[in-house]
Coordinates of all heavy atoms in Angstrom, one line a residue:
F261 N 0.8 -1.2 0.0 CA 0.0 0.0 0.0 C 0.9 1.3 0.0 O 0.6 2.2 -0.8 CB -0.9 0.0 1.2 CG -1.9 1.1 1.2 CD1 -3.2 1.0 0.6 CD2 -1.6 2.3 1.8 CE1 -4.1 2.0 0.6 CE2 -2.5 3.4 1.8 CZ -3.7 3.2 1.2
L262 N 1.9 1.3 0.8 CA 2.8 2.4 0.9 C 3.5 2.6 -0.4 O 3.7 3.8 -0.9 CB 3.8 2.3 2.1 CG 4.8 3.4 2.3 CD1 4.1 4.7 2.5 CD2 5.7 3.0 3.4
A263 N 4.0 1.6 -1.0 CA 4.8 1.7 -2.2 C 3.9 2.2 -3.4 O 4.4 3.0 -4.1 CB 5.4 0.3 -2.6
R264 N 2.7 1.7 -3.5 CA 1.8 2.2 -4.5 C 1.4 3.7 -4.3 O 1.3 4.4 -5.2 CB 0.6 1.3 -4.6 CG 0.8 -0.1 -5.1 CD -0.4 -0.8 -5.6 NE -0.2 -2.2 -5.7 CZ 0.5 -2.8 -6.7 NH1 1.0 -2.0 -7.7 NH2 0.7 -4.1 -6.8
S265 N 1.2 4.0 -3.0 CA 0.9 5.4 -2.7 C 2.1 6.3 -3.2 O 1.9 7.4 -3.8 CB 0.7 5.6 -1.2 OG -0.4 4.8 -0.8
L266 N 3.3 5.9 -2.9 CA 4.5 6.7 -3.3 C 4.6 6.8 -4.8 O 4.9 7.9 -5.3 CB 5.8 6.1 -2.7 CG 6.0 6.2 -1.2 CD1 7.1 5.4 -0.7 CD2 6.3 7.7 -0.9
A267 N 4.3 5.7 -5.5 CA 4.4 5.7 -6.9 C 3.4 6.6 -7.5 O 3.7 7.4 -8.4 CB 4.3 4.2 -7.4
F268 N 2.1 6.5 -7.1 CA 1.1 7.3 -7.6 C 1.3 8.8 -7.3 O 1.1 9.7 -8.2 CB -0.3 6.9 -7.1 CG -0.7 5.5 -7.5 CD1 -1.3 4.7 -6.6 CD2 -0.5 5.1 -8.7 CE1 -1.6 3.4 -6.9 CE2 -0.8 3.8 -9.1 CZ -1.4 2.9 -8.2
A269 N 1.7 9.1 -6.1 CA 1.9 10.5 -5.7 C 3.1 11.1 -6.4 O 3.0 12.2 -7.0 CB 2.2 10.6 -4.2
G270 N 4.2 10.3 -6.5 CA 5.4 10.8 -7.3 C 5.1 11.0 -8.7 O 5.5 12.0 -9.3
S271 N 4.4 10.1 -9.3 CA 4.2 10.2 -10.8 C 3.2 11.3 -11.1 O 3.3 12.0 -12.0 CB 3.6 8.8 -11.3 OG 4.5 7.8 -11.1
A272 N 2.2 11.4 -10.2 CA 1.2 12.5 -10.4 C 1.8 13.9 -10.2 O 1.5 14.8 -10.9 CB 0.0 12.3 -9.5
W273 N 2.8 13.9 -9.3 CA 3.5 15.2 -9.1 C 4.3 15.6 -10.3 O 4.3 16.7 -10.8 CB 4.4 15.1 -7.9 CG 5.1 16.4 -7.6 CD1 4.6 17.5 -6.9 CD2 6.4 16.7 -7.9 NE1 5.5 18.5 -6.8 CE2 6.7 18.1 -7.4 CE3 7.4 16.0 -8.6 CZ2 7.9 18.7 -7.6 CZ3 8.7 16.7 -8.7 CH2 8.9 18.0 -8.3
L274 N 5.0 14.6 -10.9 CA 5.8 14.8 -12.1 C 4.9 15.2 -13.2 O 5.3 16.1 -14.1 CB 6.5 13.5 -12.5 CG 7.7 13.2 -11.6 CD1 8.3 11.8 -12.0 CD2 8.8 14.2 -11.6
M275 N 3.7 14.7 -13.3 CA 2.8 15.0 -14.4 C 1.6 15.8 -14.0 O 0.5 15.8 -14.6 CB 2.2 13.6 -15.0 CG 3.3 12.7 -15.4 SD 4.4 13.3 -16.7 CE 5.6 12.0 -16.9
R276 N 1.8 16.7 -13.0 CA 0.7 17.4 -12.4 C 0.0 18.3 -13.3 O -1.2 18.6 -13.2 CB 1.2 18.2 -11.1 CG 2.3 19.2 -11.5 CD 2.9 19.7 -10.1 NE 4.0 20.6 -10.4 CZ 5.3 20.2 -10.7 NH1 5.5 18.9 -10.8 NH2 6.2 21.1 -10.9
D277 N 0.7 18.8 -14.4 CA 0.0 19.7 -15.3 C -0.9 18.9 -16.3 O -1.7 19.5 -17.0 CB 1.0 20.4 -16.2 CG 1.8 21.4 -15.3 OD1 1.3 21.8 -14.3 OD2 3.0 21.7 -15.7
A278 N -0.8 17.6 -16.2 CA -1.6 16.7 -17.1 C -2.8 16.1 -16.4 O -3.6 15.3 -17.0 CB -0.8 15.6 -17.7
Q279 N -3.0 16.5 -15.1 CA -4.1 16.0 -14.3 C -4.1 14.5 -14.4 O -5.2 13.9 -14.7 CB -5.4 16.6 -14.8 CG -5.5 18.1 -14.7 CD -6.9 18.6 -15.1 OE1 -7.7 17.9 -15.7 NE2 -7.1 19.9 -14.8
A280 N -3.0 13.9 -14.0 CA -2.9 12.5 -14.2 C -3.1 11.6 -12.9 O -2.8 10.5 -12.9 CB -1.5 12.2 -14.7
W281 N -3.7 12.2 -11.9 CA -3.9 11.4 -10.7 C -5.2 10.6 -10.8 O -6.2 11.1 -11.2 CB -4.0 12.3 -9.5 CG -4.3 11.5 -8.2 CD1 -5.5 11.3 -7.7 CD2 -3.4 10.7 -7.5 NE1 -5.4 10.5 -6.6 CE2 -4.2 10.1 -6.4 CE3 -2.0 10.5 -7.6 CZ2 -3.6 9.3 -5.5 CZ3 -1.5 9.7 -6.6 CH2 -2.2 9.1 -5.6
P282 N -5.2 9.3 -10.4 CA -4.0 8.5 -10.1 C -3.7 7.5 -11.3 O -2.7 7.0 -11.4 CB -4.4 7.6 -8.9 CG -5.9 7.4 -9.1 CD -6.4 8.6 -9.8
W283 N -4.7 7.4 -12.3 CA -4.4 6.4 -13.3 C -5.4 6.8 -14.5 O -6.5 7.1 -14.2 CB -4.8 5.0 -12.8 CG -4.1 3.9 -13.7 CD1 -4.4 3.6 -15.0 CD2 -3.1 3.0 -13.2 NE1 -3.6 2.6 -15.4 CE2 -2.8 2.2 -14.3 CE3 -2.5 2.8 -12.0 CZ2 -1.9 1.2 -14.3 CZ3 -1.5 1.8 -12.0 CH2 -1.3 1.0 -13.1
P284 N -5.0 6.6 -15.7 CA -3.7 6.3 -16.2 C -2.9 7.5 -16.7 O -3.5 8.5 -17.0 CB -4.0 5.4 -17.4 CG -5.2 6.0 -18.0 CD -6.0 6.5 -16.8
L285 N -1.6 7.5 -16.7 CA -0.9 8.6 -17.2 C -0.9 8.7 -18.7 O -0.4 9.7 -19.3 CB 0.6 8.5 -16.7 CG 0.8 8.7 -15.2 CD1 2.3 8.6 -14.9 CD2 0.3 10.0 -14.8
S286 N -1.5 7.7 -19.3 CA -1.6 7.7 -20.8 C -2.5 8.8 -21.3 O -2.5 9.2 -22.5 CB -2.0 6.4 -21.3 OG -3.3 6.0 -20.7
T287 N -3.3 9.4 -20.4 CA -4.2 10.5 -20.8 C -3.5 11.8 -20.7 O -4.1 12.8 -21.0 CB -5.4 10.5 -19.8 OG1 -4.9 10.8 -18.5 CG2 -6.2 9.2 -19.8
M288 N -2.2 11.8 -20.3 CA -1.6 13.1 -20.1 C -1.3 13.9 -21.3 O -1.4 15.1 -21.3 CB -0.3 12.9 -19.3 CG 0.8 12.2 -20.1 SD 2.2 11.9 -19.1 CE 3.3 11.0 -20.3
A289 N -1.0 13.3 -22.4 CA -0.7 14.0 -23.6 C -0.8 13.1 -24.8 O -0.8 11.9 -24.7 CB 0.7 14.6 -23.5
A290 N -0.8 13.7 -26.0 CA -0.9 12.9 -27.2 C 0.5 12.1 -27.4 O 0.5 11.2 -28.2 CB -1.1 13.8 -28.4
G291 N 1.5 12.6 -26.8 CA 2.8 11.9 -27.0 C 3.1 10.8 -26.0 O 4.2 10.5 -25.7
S292 N 2.0 10.1 -25.5 CA 2.2 9.0 -24.6 C 3.1 8.0 -25.2 O 3.0 7.7 -26.4 CB 0.9 8.4 -24.2 OG 1.1 7.3 -23.4
L293 N 3.9 7.4 -24.3 CA 4.9 6.3 -24.8 C 4.2 5.0 -25.1 O 4.7 4.2 -25.8 CB 6.0 6.1 -23.8 CG 6.9 7.3 -23.5 CD1 7.9 7.0 -22.4 CD2 7.7 7.7 -24.8
W294 N 3.0 4.8 -24.5 CA 2.3 3.5 -24.6 C 1.4 3.4 -25.9 O 0.7 4.3 -26.1 CB 1.5 3.3 -23.4 CG 1.1 1.8 -23.3 CD1 -0.2 1.3 -23.6 CD2 1.9 0.7 -22.9 NE1 -0.2 -0.1 -23.4 CE2 1.1 -0.4 -23.0 CE3 3.2 0.6 -22.6 CZ2 1.6 -1.7 -22.7 CZ3 3.7 -0.7 -22.3 CH2 2.9 -1.8 -22.4
P295 N 1.5 2.3 -26.6 CA 0.7 2.2 -27.8 C -0.7 1.7 -27.5 O -1.1 0.6 -27.7 CB 1.5 1.1 -28.6 CG 2.1 0.3 -27.5 CD 2.5 1.2 -26.4
E296 N -1.5 2.6 -27.1 CA -2.9 2.3 -26.6 C -3.7 1.8 -27.8 O -4.7 1.1 -27.6 CB -3.5 3.5 -26.0 CG -3.1 3.8 -24.6 CD -4.0 4.9 -24.0 OE1 -3.7 6.1 -24.1 OE2 -5.1 4.5 -23.4
S297 N -3.4 2.2 -29.0 CA -4.2 1.8 -30.1 C -4.0 0.4 -30.6 O -4.7 -0.2 -31.4 CB -4.0 2.8 -31.3 OG -2.6 2.7 -31.7
W298 N -2.9 -0.2 -30.1 CA -2.6 -1.6 -30.5 C -3.6 -2.6 -29.8 O -4.2 -2.3 -28.8 CB -1.2 -1.9 -30.1 CG -0.1 -1.2 -30.8 CD1 -0.3 -0.1 -31.6 CD2 1.3 -1.4 -30.8 NE1 0.9 0.4 -32.1 CE2 1.9 -0.4 -31.6 CE3 2.1 -2.4 -30.2 CZ2 3.3 -0.4 -31.8 CZ3 3.5 -2.3 -30.4 CH2 4.0 -1.3 -31.2
P299 N -3.7 -3.8 -30.4 CA -4.6 -4.8 -29.8 C -4.2 -5.1 -28.3 O -3.1 -5.0 -27.9 CB -4.4 -6.0 -30.7 CG -3.9 -5.5 -32.0 CD -3.1 -4.2 -31.6
F300 N -5.3 -5.3 -27.5 CA -5.1 -5.5 -26.1 C -4.1 -6.6 -25.8 O -3.2 -6.4 -24.9 CB -6.4 -5.8 -25.4 CG -6.3 -6.0 -24.0 CD1 -6.4 -4.9 -23.1 CD2 -6.2 -7.3 -23.4 CE1 -6.3 -5.0 -21.7 CE2 -6.1 -7.4 -22.0 CZ -6.2 -6.3 -21.2
W301 N -4.1 -7.7 -26.5 CA -3.2 -8.8 -26.1 C -1.8 -8.5 -26.4 O -0.9 -9.0 -25.7 CB -3.7 -10.1 -26.9 CG -3.4 -10.1 -28.4 CD1 -4.3 -9.6 -29.3 CD2 -2.2 -10.5 -29.0 NE1 -3.7 -9.8 -30.6 CE2 -2.4 -10.3 -30.4 CE3 -1.0 -11.0 -28.6 CZ2 -1.5 -10.6 -31.4 CZ3 0.0 -11.4 -29.6 CH2 -0.3 -11.1 -30.9

């Protein structure tokens, strides 16, 4: 619980301008690193 809290708080702080709390950070910008359009599998 503590580790996930730290991860979410730290990541959200880094991406605070993208309103990314707490999930997912893929919504932060069009330049997301994750290929969301690819098939789920």
Side-chain angles (χ1 to χ4, degrees):
F261 186 90
L262 178 60
R264 292 199 194 283
S265 299
L266 287 170
F268 296 138
S271 300
W273 182 80
L274 288 173
M275 305 298 176
R276 55 193 180 279
D277 294 334
Q279 298 182 349
W281 176 262
W283 200 295
L285 290 181
S286 56
T287 61
M288 66 185 181
S292 173
L293 296 174
W294 193 257
E296 281 191 272
S297 60
W298 293 12
F300 181 83
W301 70 270

